[in-house]
Amino acid sequence: MFSVSSLIFSIIFFGSCFLFYRNINIIIRNIYLGKDPGKFEQSKERWKQVFFIAFGQKKMFKKPLVAILHLVVYLGFVIINIEIIEIILDGILNTHRILFSPKWANVYRFLINSFELCAVLVLTSVIVFLIRRNVIKIKRFFSEEMKGWPTLDGNLILIFEIFLMSAFLTMNAADLALQQTSLSYKYPNTGSFLISGLFSPYLANTLSLNSLFILERFCWWFHIIGIFGFLNYLVISKHLHILFAFPNTYYANLKPKGQLTTMESVTNEVKSMLDPNIDSFAQPASPASVERFGVKDVKDLNRIQLLNAYSCTECGRCTAECPANLTGKKLSPRKIMMDVRDRIEEVGRNLDVKGEKYNDNKSLLNDYIKPEELWACTSCNACVEACPLNIDPLSIIIDMRRYLVMEQSAAPSELNTIFSNIENNGAPWQFSAADRLNWKNDE
Amino acid sequence: MGITVKTMSDLVAQGENAEILYWVGSAGSFDDRAKKITRSFVKIMNHAKVNFGVLGTEESASGDVAKRAGNEFLFQMQALMNIEILNSYNITRIVTTCPHDYNTLKNEYKDLGGVYEVLHHTEFISELIQDKRLILSDNLKGMKITYHDPCYLGRGNGIFNTPRELLKAMGVELVEMKRFKRTSFCCGAGGAQMFKEPEKGTQDININRTQEAMNTKAKTIATACAFCNTMITDGVKFLAEGSVDVLDIAELIVKSQNL
């Protein structure tokens, strides 16, 4: 049963699984470079989010037509991949359609027919997506941050899927044609399939036996190697969202969107400042209390914020709703997420290549994200609401503002005035606190 | 008509209790436009015979602006000071006319030891109506009004319908803008933007939003936030001064019910 082809297949199969495992571990390692986000309670609510938002793609349905196309591609792709169980078994054992048995021919045909139907639906949707990106040129795919690789990435994924689906259908069509030839001992009679059955007669009429056989083998290998390639492509692509959507929605914020986090490190300091019994000039009790306030670089972010960045598929729904972006400001919530991913990847690479002690003298702030972008945010939460995966760019923006203000005193000058007004008069305006009730006597 | 306002310290001195604390907020205390909203809401509470108190000079900025500007130190200083005052009066229920203070007091004081039931004034007015302490007649029948969702009330805390129901109770013909409720568009004031010049761009956010509101052909733009009110009032001034009124829901109630 075993042969050279089994050996080659097994090397490719186990090799690509190993490569994927290794790369995904690097990504997880990178995420763990971030800060511990603490405990996650309300697991029931969290699983609900996974079910409705990741699996059910609930938030996509704000745009029903696109949502249906997206769901089709996703479900189609998942369902068709059931077929790879058989392909992998065939590959390792050097068999052909090992799961087919004449006794269960109807069931087998039903499954393959479903896969073929899915393939056609996926093909159609993917073509519509390509048209949206490249012919209709939907505006959100053409922001500044989409230039170069991000745009290519988006198109490559779609072209990848076209090739995979076409190979799958052609493979079946050639197979059907071969079932009627002298090679039928190798190609058991499965009965015709829904889609490939439509054009297998054409193949049978135009191709020689040899060509048919080569075509079938080529498509079979192309399809399965393509799938292994696609799996490994995920780790460098925005397409990683098909896996990370699930943990991302599990860990997504459950609190009201308006609520920002409370910085405990600040609470300790403020309490000691307000408490007359504590000597505020005393040395800090432990070195842990001299941590950095806010976020300067990716390691200052928490792990959920980093997971958010890896989960982002750059669809740009956030940026398309951002009031700052829509009125021409530099801020783009999508760019924030893309910058975080680019930077954490860079930090991870440096760690692997140049070691722990290496410092590239770069940081997320300034080298990737400029203060001008951060100060344009109105904290309106439109981006968080728009994200189909509940990614939270706002939390990153606020954390970076915290660094600018508390570590660098680099707030815009008007805001510094406001800060001192609040400190001195208890209001952002320069009115005396003693006049706070004067409104009572107006009119 | 005058209004009656008592401070918590007065109430305590007289041995009285307040059923609710009205958190006026810095804008509501000092900003000329916002003060009108404050007085309108007080008129409504006076009319409904609500026994409320204010902190008066003991109130201080909630810290919302500082927090969103990244100054967590200043925010927590303000919060801890305010919490100390609130807790010294054993405050359990708070109503506020400012969605920013609403969000801050309700969600962000909790971690620092300030746990209160906090209501936005539209919620409290709605409660007064339910308890039959306030009756709204449909004096605004047929009046075309559009409602602008304040971010910190709507998306931030999920309150979309209460303000709309108050408008409908007065007979208003509510016309929605293209972007409303969850996908509502910011007025441009949040996140400390109210107090600084916008970054360089092609348009001011409030102009974009005001244009959208004016496209509905409504004669009045209703809001439920002093900051939104200022931003949209400025937008109307810029686009077509005097063509549309910008009013808080509390003001609309006072106007239509002759309080």
Side-chain angles (χ1 to χ4, degrees):
Chain A
M1 242 168 140
F2 286 99
S3 65
V4 181
S5 107
S6 302
L7 187 67
I8 294 172
F9 182 88
S10 302
I11 290 170
I12 295 173
F13 172 57
F14 290 109
S16 58
C17 286
F18 172 76
L19 195 64
F20 177 73
Y21 172 78
R22 201 198 69 149
N23 287 333
I24 237 17
N25 267 325
I26 291 177
I27 289 178
I28 292 168
R29 191 275 319 266
N30 287 352
I31 289 174
Y32 270 80
L33 292 175
K35 285 190 182 154
D36 185 352
K39 276 202 188 105
F40 289 88
E41 282 154 0
Q42 295 173 273
S43 71
K44 211 175 136 196
E45 283 304 305
R46 294 182 181 282
W47 280 113
K48 247 187 182 164
Q49 290 205 138
V50 174
F51 187 76
F52 286 109
I53 295 175
F55 193 73
Q57 305 176 7
K58 187 176 143 196
K59 287 180 89 181
M60 290 290 287
F61 278 84
K62 286 176 188 163
K63 292 179 177 166
L65 192 71
V66 192
I68 289 166
L69 293 173
H70 182 266
L71 194 66
V72 162
V73 174
Y74 166 66
L75 285 180
F77 203 73
V78 170
I79 293 168
I80 296 165
N81 279 338
I82 298 173
E83 166 71 354
I84 71 164
I85 297 170
E86 182 178 45
I87 296 178
I88 289 169
L89 288 175
D90 280 343
I92 295 171
L93 303 171
N94 194 24
T95 51
H96 189 71
R97 294 199 185 273
I98 189 171
L99 299 180
F100 175 76
S101 129
K103 230 162 99 189
W104 300 99
N106 282 336
V107 178
Y108 189 86
R109 252 198 322 275
F110 171 78
L111 283 172
I112 301 287
N113 284 344
S114 321
F115 300 153
E116 290 201 345
L117 198 64
C118 285
V120 171
L121 289 172
V122 170
L123 263 177
T124 322
S125 308
V126 164
I127 289 166
V128 174
F129 285 155
L130 273 172
I131 292 172
R132 281 165 57 86
R133 273 177 187 262
N134 300 291
V135 181
I136 305 173
K137 293 188 189 279
I138 304 273
K139 205 178 142 221
R140 64 184 154 93
F141 296 129
F142 292 88
S143 315
E144 199 53 36
E145 68 266 21
M146 293 306 286
K147 284 191 177 147
W149 166 246
T151 297
L152 180 65
D153 186 19
N155 282 324
L156 277 179
I157 293 160
L158 296 172
I159 292 165
F160 234 122
E161 302 211 23
I162 288 183
F163 276 119
L164 290 180
M165 295 303 126
S166 309
F168 175 68
L169 290 172
T170 314
M171 167 184 101
N172 280 351
D175 191 311
L176 287 178
L178 286 164
Q179 289 174 21
Q180 313 302 324
T181 67
S182 55
L183 284 177
S184 60
Y185 66 95
K186 260 190 178 172
Y187 292 90
N189 192 348
T190 54
S192 189
F193 300 136
L194 196 62
I195 309 294
S196 55
L198 297 177
F199 57 102
S200 72
Y202 173 78
L203 294 183
N205 290 334
T206 49
L207 296 180
S208 67
L209 180 64
N210 232 342
S211 309
L212 268 182
F213 179 71
I214 290 170
L215 181 66
E216 194 278 330
R217 283 293 87 193
F218 174 78
C219 286
W220 189 91
W221 283 96
F222 181 89
H223 175 248
I224 192 64
I225 291 175
I227 283 176
F228 295 151
F230 201 51
L231 181 72
N232 279 289
Y233 179 74
L234 289 184
V235 294
I236 60 157
S237 163
K238 77 187 190 79
H239 210 48
L240 192 58
H241 83 294
I242 63 169
L243 301 177
F244 278 27
F246 300 94
N248 196 74
T249 44
Y250 183 86
Y251 291 113
N253 182 30
L254 292 173
K255 293 181 178 143
K257 287 194 184 67
Q259 179 177 351
L260 298 182
T261 52
T262 306
M263 293 175 72
E264 272 176 56
S265 50
V266 169
T267 312
N268 299 334
E269 299 225 356
V270 170
K271 279 198 169 147
S272 71
M273 279 162 73
L274 291 177
D275 187 345
N277 300 322
I278 294 175
D279 177 8
S280 50
F281 295 104
Q283 288 294 314
S286 70
S289 61
V290 281
E291 67 172 305
R292 178 183 281 164
F293 293 119
V295 167
K296 180 191 183 195
D297 204 357
V298 279
K299 284 188 187 175
D300 304 325
L301 291 166
N302 70 45
R303 290 166 198 161
I304 304 310
Q305 291 169 320
L306 294 174
L307 174 67
N308 274 186
Y310 276 112
S311 307
C312 173
T313 193
E314 300 164 13
C315 72
R317 282 170 175 77
C318 50
T319 297
E321 302 272 328
C322 173
N325 190 276
L326 288 174
T327 54
K329 279 80 174 176
K330 287 240 169 72
L331 174 65
S332 162
R334 167 172 57 189
K335 178 179 171 290
I336 302 281
M337 302 319 299
M338 292 166 72
D339 285 340
V340 170
R341 179 165 175 180
D342 288 348
R343 175 60 185 158
I344 190 70
E345 292 269 284
E346 183 178 54
V347 168
R349 260 194 317 276
N350 282 339
L351 194 60
D352 290 332
V353 177
K354 298 185 171 150
E356 231 166 284
K357 293 228 169 84
Y358 177 77
N359 181 357
D360 64 358
N361 286 317
K362 283 165 83 179
S363 63
L364 182 66
L365 182 69
N366 295 324
D367 291 302
Y368 286 81
I369 300 171
K370 299 269 185 288
E372 184 188 343
E373 297 164 52
L374 301 171
W375 290 117
C377 175
T378 69
S379 75
C380 76
N381 266 303
C383 54
V384 185
E385 176 64 39
C387 180
L389 296 180
N390 281 5
I391 290 169
D392 187 356
L394 176 57
S395 75
I396 297 173
I397 295 171
I398 296 289
D399 281 343
M400 294 183 79
R401 281 185 177 185
R402 284 169 169 170
Y403 175 80
L404 282 171
V405 171
M406 292 191 285
E407 294 278 357
Q408 299 205 307
S409 306
S413 61
E414 307 105 297
L415 289 185
N416 281 328
T417 313
I418 297 303
F419 294 155
S420 50
N421 284 342
I422 295 176
E423 271 172 55
N424 299 327
N425 328 318
W429 293 278
Q430 220 174 5
F431 292 107
S432 163
D435 295 338
R436 212 175 168 94
L437 197 53
N438 289 3
W439 56 267
K440 184 170 83 143
N441 309 316
D442 276 14
E443 213 165 35
Chain B
M1 201 180 84
I3 52 171
T4 316
V5 185
K6 287 181 187 168
T7 61
M8 286 309 296
S9 63
D10 287 347
L11 285 168
V12 169
Q14 291 158 12
E16 281 182 58
N17 255 330
E19 63 177 286
I20 197 158
L21 174 89
Y22 174 27
W23 181 273
V24 182
S26 296
S29 304
F30 292 121
D31 179 83
D32 284 336
R33 181 67 191 84
K35 280 195 278 186
K36 291 185 181 158
I37 301 171
T38 306
R39 291 179 59 88
S40 295
F41 180 54
V42 167
K43 277 183 191 168
I44 295 170
M45 288 200 287
N46 284 165
H47 176 82
K49 300 193 169 56
V50 177
N51 178 20
F52 69 97
V54 297
L55 288 177
T57 54
E58 289 184 290
E59 189 187 283
S60 190
S62 70
D64 157 78
V65 174
K67 188 170 179 92
R68 263 139 269 271
N71 197 336
E72 182 77 6
F73 269 106
L74 184 53
F75 161 73
Q76 292 201 10
M77 297 267 276
Q78 291 299 117
L80 288 170
M81 256 162 40
N82 285 325
I83 289 166
E84 201 174 295
I85 301 280
L86 289 166
N87 289 353
S88 74
Y89 288 117
N90 296 318
I91 302 293
T92 52
R93 275 196 116 198
I94 302 175
V95 62
T96 173
T97 32
C98 173
H100 294 265
D101 287 351
Y102 170 78
N103 176 68
T104 301
L105 267 64
K106 183 177 180 165
N107 300 321
E108 292 171 349
Y109 277 17
K110 271 188 306 205
D111 288 348
L112 299 167
V115 184
Y116 318 103
E117 185 194 353
V118 184
L119 302 168
H120 183 250
H121 67 302
T122 55
E123 289 181 298
F124 187 61
I125 293 170
S126 164
E127 191 184 286
L128 292 176
I129 294 169
Q130 252 168 32
D131 295 347
K132 307 246 166 10
R133 298 169 75 182
L134 177 72
I135 294 159
L136 292 188
S137 57
D138 57 354
N139 288 347
L140 297 180
K141 201 160 197 158
M143 192 171 166
K144 227 175 170 181
I145 291 184
T146 188
Y147 171 69
H148 165 80
D149 288 281
C151 299
Y152 277 86
L153 193 62
R155 261 195 304 273
N157 285 288
I159 298 174
F160 300 104
N161 292 328
T162 313
R164 286 180 168 80
E165 276 155 20
L166 292 180
L167 291 171
K168 285 180 191 157
M170 293 184 279
V172 162
E173 185 199 330
L174 187 66
V175 280
E176 296 289 0
M177 290 179 247
K178 217 180 137 210
R179 297 172 288 193
F180 71 113
K181 292 192 177 174
R182 287 200 176 279
T183 53
S184 176
F185 195 73
C186 178
C187 72
Q193 299 293 342
M194 179 78 185
F195 300 96
K196 59 181 267 297
E197 284 302 310
E199 304 345 280
K200 222 176 79 197
T202 51
Q203 190 187 33
D204 282 345
I205 294 173
N206 63 328
I207 304 299
N208 186 306
R209 182 56 166 174
T210 308
Q211 186 62 63
E212 186 180 7
M214 289 171 73
N215 288 346
T216 64
K217 303 268 189 295
K219 282 278 153 263
T220 299
I221 304 167
T223 65
C225 168
F227 287 170
C228 298
N229 194 310
T230 302
M231 296 306 273
I232 295 172
T233 303
D234 285 352
V236 172
K237 268 184 204 153
F238 179 85
L239 291 167
E241 186 159 9
S243 60
V244 193
D245 289 331
V246 185
L247 292 170
D248 192 274
I249 290 182
E251 294 177 301
L252 272 166
I253 291 175
V254 169
K255 238 174 101 179
S256 70
Q257 312 297 312
N258 300 313
L259 303 183

